[in-house]
Structures are given as structure tokens and as C-alpha cells.
Amino acid sequence: MSAPARTAVIDTDVHCAPAGFADLEPYLDDYWRGYLRDGSQRINHAQGGAYPPLAPTTATPAAREAGSVPPHEVSALRAQLDAGTAILNCTTSFGCNRNPYYETALTRAINDWLIERWLAADGGLRASMVVPTLHTEAAVAEIERIGDHPGIVQVLLPVRGDQPWGNVRHRPLLRAAADKGLVVGLHAWGRVGNAMTSSGFTHTYLEDYLGNSQSIVQAQLVSLLAEGVFAQLPDLRVALLECGFSWLPTLLWRFDKDWKGVWREVPWINRRSGEVIADHVRLTTAPAHLPRDPVQVREALDLLGPAELLMHATDHPHDHGSGGERLLAALTDTEREAVLRGNAAQWYGIA
């Protein structure tokens, strides 16, 4: 199968990061510059070392030379990435400390940096804005401040937080995103002070990373369904980023099975979960946890409905192996076009 033309692809999960706080200083006031300097704060561009320096990276020579650290400027990104349209996800603020006012200042600075240094420099880029997760009122204000920018297409939230995103305390944030026509993106990782599992902290990086798709994102999706978020916000669109997708059919089967017995607890759910997901949720293709047998890959995808739910992503600069290639090889031409471009174009309103 030949590689798709550059202009035909929308990459829905491309990482970028400031090289250090010096990149963000122009967007911070004097107080916060002093706070960072005097407190010896360090920037977190690689999720606290979640991707070791010698971890595999996406295939271009420039990307391999750069290692697993996200690019800091547009020219480096374009040298590394072969995609026409890319959605930038900056997770620098995900490991933020417990100061909601600092988090508010940091996320605002990151957003201004994204707009001025990335979106203004390259018309093929779109970006996810970040918001403070500890201060709902400030998060809503930030969405109101820049949510109408044509290059901002998503509100990026960590999948690992203090409370499930379906909790009623988060409803104003989700409503503000929906009212602006922005997708809410739940991305792997988040607040490191919280356990990755419901039974406590993990002891290895392997357990921690697996938790993104094993327990955390599934709990978040169940929360959004069970707490009536989609019933209350019918225009809300959610993207699950870097959390896998092959787990979805079995989760929804179990959800519907148990819903039949306890539906009185959740009267706002009046149809099967798969129908709600089809209207409100999309998932990215990296990482693709799929078998190696092409027949089994197709069987797994038929359970999911890939032409509707999946959006192409590389998770640049991180390499998740050959699962994405096996996925594309198993699709029909129509499905492949939908996954590589059509689904994302519709979900994010990209022409």
C-alpha cells in the first residue's frame, strides 16, 4: 500500500512543547516570572520522563535524531513530520503543582505561545488549548478568551485527574467547550500525585502506562455516560487521545448488560451506550493494540466500527510499533479515507 499524499492526512495527536520557561516568559507577568525563578521550577515537556530519551520515535531521520522529546518550534516539527494538517497537543501543564493560580497562569501562557509561535507560523496546524483543572471558573474564562480563535479546535484535559470528568463539578467546563463548538480531548497521563488504578499506586512504569487504556480512560468514559453528560450537553464532542481503542466493544457490552438491571439510577440513559458513543466520541489510532493476524485484525475492527469512530494519529514523536500499519492494511479504501482524514475533518471542522 503506497503512502497517502501529505495533504490527504489529518494527524490528530502531534506533540509540541516549550524548551523551557524562557519560551513562556513573554506570556507571563512579572509575578509569575519571579515565582518560577525563585521557586526553581522546572518545565515538564516529556511527562516527567514518561518517554525515556532513547525510546523509539516516529520514522523520519530528523525525528530519530531528536529522540522522544516533542519539538519546540515549527521548523523542527515540519522537518520531522510528514503530514499536511496536524493538531498540536501540548501536555506541559499536565503535571502541574497544586496551586490553581499558578496552573491558570501557566495554561494561559502555553495557549498564547501556541497561538503566536505555532498557529501564526503555519496555516496547516491546529491546536488544543489547555485549561486549569483545579479552577473551573478560570478554565471557563480561558475557553471564553480564546475559544473563538480559528486555529483552536479542542480543549485538552488529562485523563488522569482529581475526579472523573463526568462529575457535575466539571459540567460548566464541558458546557463552555460545547458552546464554543470545541472538542474535549481526554489525553493519556495527567496529575502524577494521583493513583493510576482504583486500588492504589503502581510500582513500575509499565503498570503506569498500561493504566491509561486499562482503567483510567475507561472509567472516564463510563463517568461521562453514566452521569448524563451527553444527555445534558447534546452538542458535546469528545476525543480519547493516546488511550487505545480495542477495549471499547467489551466495555460497552458490559455497560449495556449492567444498565439493564440498574437503569433506574440513570434515567437519562434511554438508549444503548454504543449509540451514544457514535454520536459523541471518537478515538485516535495510536496506540493500536491489535493482533498480528490480518483476519483477527479485521474481526476486531468489525466489532468497533472503525470507519465511524477512529481518527488517524501518530502521537509524534513517540512510536507505538506496527499496530497502526496493520490497522490501515485491514481497512477498505473508503474506511481508510475516513480514518486518515474524513472523520477528523468532520469532528474538528477542518476543511
Side-chain angles (χ1 to χ4, degrees), residues 27-39:
Y27 313 105
L28 294 165
D29 63 28
D30 289 340
Y31 172 83
W32 291 112
R33 292 191 197 109
Y35 176 90
L36 296 173
R37 181 184 61 251
D38 298 340

Side-chain angles (χ1 to χ4, degrees), residues 56-58 209 285-289 292 313-315 318-327:
T57 59
T58 43
Y209 187 77
T285 59
H289 303 133
R292 294 193 176 277
T314 60
D315 188 34
H318 310 121
D319 184 4
H320 294 280
S322 61
E325 296 174 2
R326 296 198 300 275
L327 163 66

Side-chain angles (χ1 to χ4, degrees), residues 227-298:
E227 300 203 42
V229 172
F230 298 125
Q232 191 174 83
L233 303 176
D235 295 327
L236 180 65
R237 290 165 290 145
V238 172
L240 306 181
L241 311 170
E242 200 187 330
C243 291
F245 56 85
S246 55
W247 47 264
L248 183 63
T250 52
L251 174 69
L252 297 186
W253 179 88
R254 183 59 185 263
F255 186 100
D256 289 343
K257 173 184 177 295
D258 292 344
W259 163 59
K260 293 174 183 178
V262 294
W263 61 267
R264 289 176 179 81
E265 286 188 308
V266 287
W268 39 81
I269 300 179
N270 56 13
R271 54 182 176 147
R272 291 183 179 275
S273 59
E275 298 175 17
V276 180
I277 294 301
D279 287 344
H280 294 279
V281 179
R282 297 293 181 268
L283 304 91
T284 57
T285 59
H289 303 133
L290 293 169
R292 294 193 176 277
D293 184 327
V295 175
Q296 293 178 344
V297 171
R298 185 67 235 189

Side-chain angles (χ1 to χ4, degrees), residues 174-211:
L174 301 180
R175 181 178 293 109
D179 287 347
K180 287 292 185 182
L182 299 172
V183 174
V184 169
L186 301 185
H187 196 286
W189 303 105
R191 197 167 299 285
V192 295
N194 295 344
M196 184 60 89
T197 77
S198 59
S199 56
F201 285 92
T202 60
H203 294 162
T204 67
Y205 168 75
L206 174 63
E207 295 171 276
D208 218 44
Y209 187 77
L210 288 173

Side-chain angles (χ1 to χ4, degrees), residues 298-317:
R298 185 67 235 189
E299 290 173 347
L301 296 179
D302 285 339
L303 290 174
L304 182 71
E308 298 176 0
L309 297 182
L310 295 183
M311 301 186 299
H312 170 69
T314 60
D315 188 34
H316 180 81

